[in-house]
Amino acid sequence: MRAVVFTGPGEPLRVEELTLAAPKAGEVRVRLVGAGVCHSDLHVYKGDWNHKTPLVLGHEGAGVVTAVGPGVTRPRVGDHVILSWMPACGECRFCAAGKPQLCQTAMNAVGTDAMFDGTTRLSRADGAPVYHYLSTAAFAEETVVPAAGAIAIRDDAPLEKVSIVGCAVATGFGAVVNTAEMEWGSTVAVIGCGAVGLSAIQGAKLCAATRIVAVDVLPAKLEAAQAFGATDVVDASRDDPVAAVRELTGGGVDYVFECIGLAETCEQAAAMLAFGGTAVVVGQPKAGTRPSYDALLLSCYEQRVIGSNYGSVRPTVDFPKLVDLYMDGRLMIDELITGHRPLSEAQEAFEDLIAGRAVRTVLDCGR
């Protein structure tokens, strides 16, 4: 089967014919339909994060289960599934506490770019192993993933669309609803209006935020933010975003969702807060990024800066709910997808992302 292979930072991506082994115990094989191109993939491509090579990128996808390994009862062959790059074990202390996004077993596995047993199911013609990005490897025609990383959904949802639920939508929407547990009637700022930020805006809107201020440097993304529910926009390429947000809201907002992952924007998020406010770091920074905060102000004003991993989602519960919201017309997903490309154009999809031409590009895995 064909897959997009990454061999090192700055090296061109190329499609190769790889061998995909049968799923082992606790694993399933999935014929992929669509895979979203995310900034997390771009971080690896640029060398911001270290991963093993050769590596099949992609962690946001959807498809149909074609085979299951020993002991797997769910999902079943024929199920339509969205991939989760945090295949929770269900047994560690975090899973037991209802926090599968912090699963120790999953974090250990995805950090090795392999399956739970430390081996890969992908190989080249000479037998050399090829690694699975975040134990997912979605930039491919097919993949093998842990069964807990394939979440069954309703059969009538278009897989090429809901593929982006598995990262962008879940991360942004979940940061508002799950991580922040935002109270209705709150005031909100969202820094960064890519697919994650626009999903956070939708979450804030559905939680009845009274003011949603979108912050970005690209006019097209600010225009999109208004279509997704922003009540105000701030062009950070022209105006001081902190001063603008504080002026618009009479002294700051209750919640800020930082959806870029830069030290500067993390610092801006804290500076935008009203008394008692919460800044949620949703964006994935380059390793070693260290923002600075005035700890005295955080203490005096009872402000918080917290992190959100994967929108604190419970994939088996939240993915089907998000799909239902989309199918009921209450969650905008089609509008997040600004382009489709075949696997052979993964390189061009990254270039679109770098240039700011794309919100979310979906690779059509069957072509």
Side-chain angles (χ1 to χ4, degrees):
M1 63 102 199
R2 298 184 309 141
V4 177
V5 179
F6 165 76
T7 55
E11 295 293 324
L13 300 173
R14 60 176 181 266
V15 174
E16 296 186 23
E17 291 283 344
L18 301 178
T19 297
L20 181 64
K24 294 185 178 181
E27 300 171 355
V28 300
R29 183 167 179 156
V30 178
R31 175 179 57 80
L32 289 159
V33 173
V37 180
C38 176
H39 271 92
S40 295
D41 302 298
L42 183 60
H43 274 302
V44 179
Y45 174 75
K46 291 166 61 179
D48 293 342
W49 301 339
N50 293 321
H51 283 265
K52 295 178 181 178
T53 58
L55 178 74
V56 173
L57 289 170
H59 61 286
E60 180 184 82
V64 180
V65 176
T66 58
V68 302
V72 174
T73 57
R74 290 185 181 181
R76 302 179 178 89
V77 171
D79 279 352
H80 289 205
V81 296
I82 294 173
L83 302 185
S84 166
W85 52 266
M86 279 295 289
C89 71
E91 297 177 355
C92 70
R93 70 184 184 94
F94 293 104
C95 286
K99 298 179 179 179
Q101 79 278 10
L102 299 178
C103 174
Q104 292 174 304
T105 303
M107 284 199 176
N108 290 339
V110 301
T112 65
D113 295 313
M115 296 293 103
F116 281 5
D117 65 0
T119 65
T120 77
R121 304 294 167 264
L122 293 164
S123 61
R124 285 174 161 160
D126 61 1
V130 177
Y131 295 94
H132 309 237
Y133 180 46
L134 298 181
S135 303
T136 307
F139 290 178
E141 292 179 325
E142 298 182 82
T143 189
V144 167
V145 297
I151 311 303
I153 60 167
R154 54 196 284 178
D155 289 349
D156 59 340
L159 290 170
E160 73 281 5
K161 306 288 188 181
V162 299
S163 60
I164 69 170
V165 166
C167 186
V169 176
T171 298
F173 191 95
V176 176
V177 176
N178 297 328
T179 309
E181 296 181 328
M182 194 188 86
E183 300 91 348
W184 70 274
S186 298
T187 56
V188 175
V190 176
I191 304 175
C193 298
V196 173
L198 294 175
S199 297
I201 288 171
Q202 292 196 81
K205 180 182 178 181
L206 287 176
C207 287
T210 56
R211 202 79 178 263
I212 304 172
V213 184
V215 181
D216 207 292
V217 296
L218 297 175
K221 290 191 175 181
L222 293 173
E223 184 178 347
Q226 290 178 302
F228 277 80
T231 59
D232 304 272
V233 297
V234 172
D235 185 343
S237 71
R238 186 185 62 199
D239 301 320
D240 177 343
V242 174
V245 168
R246 295 187 71 85
E247 182 178 353
L248 281 168
T249 57
V253 291
D254 300 316
Y255 294 92
V256 181
F257 298 92
E258 193 283 338
C259 299
I260 299 177
L262 299 175
E264 180 184 9
T265 49
C266 288
E267 291 166 357
Q268 290 170 351
M272 291 176 183
L273 293 175
F275 290 3
T278 299
V280 184
V281 178
V282 185
Q284 293 282 287
K286 181 178 179 178
T289 300
R290 287 177 169 81
S292 297
Y293 304 106
D294 188 329
L296 177 61
L297 294 183
L298 293 180
S299 174
C300 288
Y301 301 154
E302 290 198 356
Q303 296 167 331
R304 298 185 301 157
V305 178
I306 62 175
S308 176
N309 183 41
Y310 208 0
S312 305
V313 294
R314 300 159 298 163
T316 55
V317 175
D318 293 342
F319 284 11
K321 287 182 178 180
L322 289 167
V323 171
D324 284 345
L325 284 174
Y326 164 66
M327 296 298 287
D328 291 343
R330 300 172 61 195
L331 184 66
M332 297 166 65
I333 290 181
D334 295 6
E335 296 82 358
L336 290 171
I337 300 171
T338 49
H340 289 262
R341 289 185 179 273
L343 287 175
S344 59
E345 294 181 5
Q347 181 76 42
E348 289 82 353
F350 274 158
E351 291 169 2
D352 289 341
L353 193 58
I354 293 169
R357 293 189 295 265
V359 175
R360 210 34 142 232
T361 298
V362 171
L363 298 180
D364 296 329
C365 298
R367 67 184 184 98

